[in-house]
Amino acid sequence: MNVEAVVHYESRNDGMRIYLYMSTVSGQWVAYGQSAYALRLWANARQKDSIRRYSPEVKMPCVEVSRFTVSDMRKSLRVMDEREGELIVFDVPKSFIYEDYLRWVSKLCEEDAKGERIINVKTCVSDSVPKGVFIKDGMTAVERNAKRLADMIVALVSMIVFSPLFVICWVLIKCDDGGSTIYAQERIGRFGRPFMIYKFRSMRVDSEKDGPQLSCQGGANDSRLTKVGAFLRAHHLDELPQLWNVFCGDMSFVGYRPERRFFIEQILEYDRRYTYLYQIRPGVTSYATVYNGYTDTMEKMLRRLEYDLYYLSHRSWWFDIKILWLTFWGIVSGKKL
């Protein structure tokens, strides 16, 4: 029995939502995974029959929905998003307990294990993810918990030890142009949940007045950098506030570099496997950072994804230590990371 649960757009903070997709196979509206479970609860509350099926296409539980049921749902539930003939997202005014969903999936696995098939849940939605071999996290649950504990302790100690450096950076930025010292930006992290990443501001306040832009010219030579910002970026001191992100659990010291939703949507147009990274916390540094450097083109972003997916499937304590050492050596030797 193998239960792989990767939360995609339906994160724990999204509450209970039902994502219905038009199946290209049956021509019916279908809810998969977590959405199938939410639809089952909604149907049971109204004494409607909910059909439990199994999707060989994505290897996960699903519920096929009649057009009559969709019409009934429109009357009783709020439509959050809709793309005609492709997707309907309903908001259900009831708290969703993710652990209950996993227990439901486990129960289905136990039932089907008696027969000829085994349910392998890959994601909470269907058409939004690739139809290929699922890339599983290389670490065990024990290793993940130990890594989280180590991250928290090291981050706390580092913030105390480097507190004088925090003050120096703060003063330098203030004296440079008088603007804000800390730069906060929304990134997408574990389970596809948004979080605020923190850095010392290294660019002009109006650096993205025309919309999101990738850091160009190797990062340290970007024309939008301030004088102090160029120094901070060259020595990676602008990343110091991310110690707080690590301490809080939004990030890890080693993972994949978190990206903005704007650029993730562009990556997904080329390679849907990006969603597999949602299994783990993004990192301050990464395997891709060491070998791929700054990503100022889509070609580099896709190449970075290949490194990140390799790290996902092979990650271990020793691999993390190797990446940390290579990052440290790269900074010391003046390599642009």
Side-chain angles (χ1 to χ4, degrees), residues 25 41 52 59 62 109 132 148 177 203 212 232 279 286 297 299 304 318-319 330:
V25 178
L41 296 183
R52 176 172 70 78
K59 294 188 171 73
C62 68
C109 287
R148 171 66 195 126
D177 62 4
M203 292 187 176
L232 296 178
Q279 296 175 78
S286 70
T297 64
E299 181 183 359
R304 179 184 65 181
W318 288 115
F319 199 6

Side-chain angles (χ1 to χ4, degrees), residues 268-332:
L268 290 174
E269 292 179 4
Y270 292 90
D271 196 330
R272 307 296 298 185
R273 294 178 301 166
Y274 188 93
T275 57
Y276 293 153
L277 298 177
Y278 291 158
Q279 296 175 78
I280 62 177
R281 290 180 177 84
V284 176
T285 186
S286 70
Y287 184 53
T289 299
V290 174
Y291 290 103
N292 198 44
Y294 271 94
T295 52
D296 52 2
T297 64
M298 179 55 64
E299 181 183 359
K300 286 185 179 180
M301 294 180 83
L302 294 174
R303 189 162 66 241
R304 179 184 65 181
L305 177 59
E306 294 294 339
Y307 282 110
D308 288 336
L309 292 173
Y310 178 85
Y311 169 75
L312 170 65
S313 61
H314 293 83
R315 74 177 191 141
S316 65
W317 272 82
W318 288 115
F319 199 6
D320 279 8
I321 292 172
K322 176 183 177 181
I323 293 170
L324 287 171
W325 165 251
L326 291 173
T327 302
F328 172 75
W329 181 251
I331 294 173
V332 171

Side-chain angles (χ1 to χ4, degrees), residues 29-204:
W29 290 100
V30 183
Y32 295 89
Q34 182 174 317
S35 291
Y37 179 64
L39 179 60
R40 174 178 175 270
L41 296 183
W42 175 83
N44 287 347
R46 287 157 183 76
Q47 297 182 340
K48 295 179 179 292
D49 293 332
S50 61
I51 305 172
R52 176 172 70 78
R53 295 182 181 273
Y54 173 80
S55 171
E57 185 182 21
V58 288
K59 294 188 171 73
M60 62 193 303
C62 68
V63 175
E64 202 166 80
V65 183
S66 68
R67 297 185 184 277
F68 175 79
T69 302
V70 172
S71 177
D72 192 24
M73 291 173 69
R74 288 181 184 276
K75 296 176 184 177
S76 60
L77 300 174
R78 185 159 60 108
V79 177
M80 301 295 294
D81 186 19
E82 182 170 6
R83 289 192 282 274
E84 187 176 356
E86 181 181 347
L87 167 72
I88 309 177
V89 182
F90 294 98
D91 184 48
V92 183
K94 183 180 178 182
S95 61
F96 182 86
I97 302 175
Y98 182 72
E99 285 71 20
D100 287 347
Y101 162 68
L102 290 183
R103 281 193 285 270
W104 176 67
V105 172
S106 297
K107 183 179 179 182
L108 295 185
C109 287
E110 291 172 3
E111 292 176 0
D112 281 354
K114 299 174 183 176
E116 296 180 354
R117 63 191 183 193
I118 296 178
I119 294 178
N120 178 21
V121 181
K122 291 187 177 183
T123 178
C124 292
V125 292
S126 62
D127 296 345
S128 295
V129 296
K131 309 294 189 296
V133 177
F134 178 68
I135 301 175
K136 183 181 178 181
D137 182 4
M139 278 190 172
T140 65
V142 173
E143 289 173 324
R144 288 193 295 269
N145 292 333
K147 177 177 178 176
R148 171 66 195 126
L149 181 61
D151 280 341
M152 186 171 60
I153 294 173
V154 174
L156 178 60
V157 173
S158 298
M159 284 190 290
I160 296 173
V161 171
F162 294 115
S163 55
L165 194 53
F166 274 80
V167 175
I168 293 172
C169 291
W170 186 89
V171 172
L172 289 174
I173 295 171
K174 271 295 181 185
C175 293
D176 188 23
D177 62 4
S180 59
T181 56
I182 299 296
Y183 176 68
Q185 188 181 75
E186 184 181 274
R187 299 290 177 95
I188 304 301
R190 194 182 185 200
F191 301 130
R193 294 181 298 194
F195 73 96
M196 299 304 295
I197 191 173
Y198 299 103
K199 295 183 178 183
F200 281 122
R201 184 174 59 84
S202 59
M203 292 187 176
R204 301 191 308 269

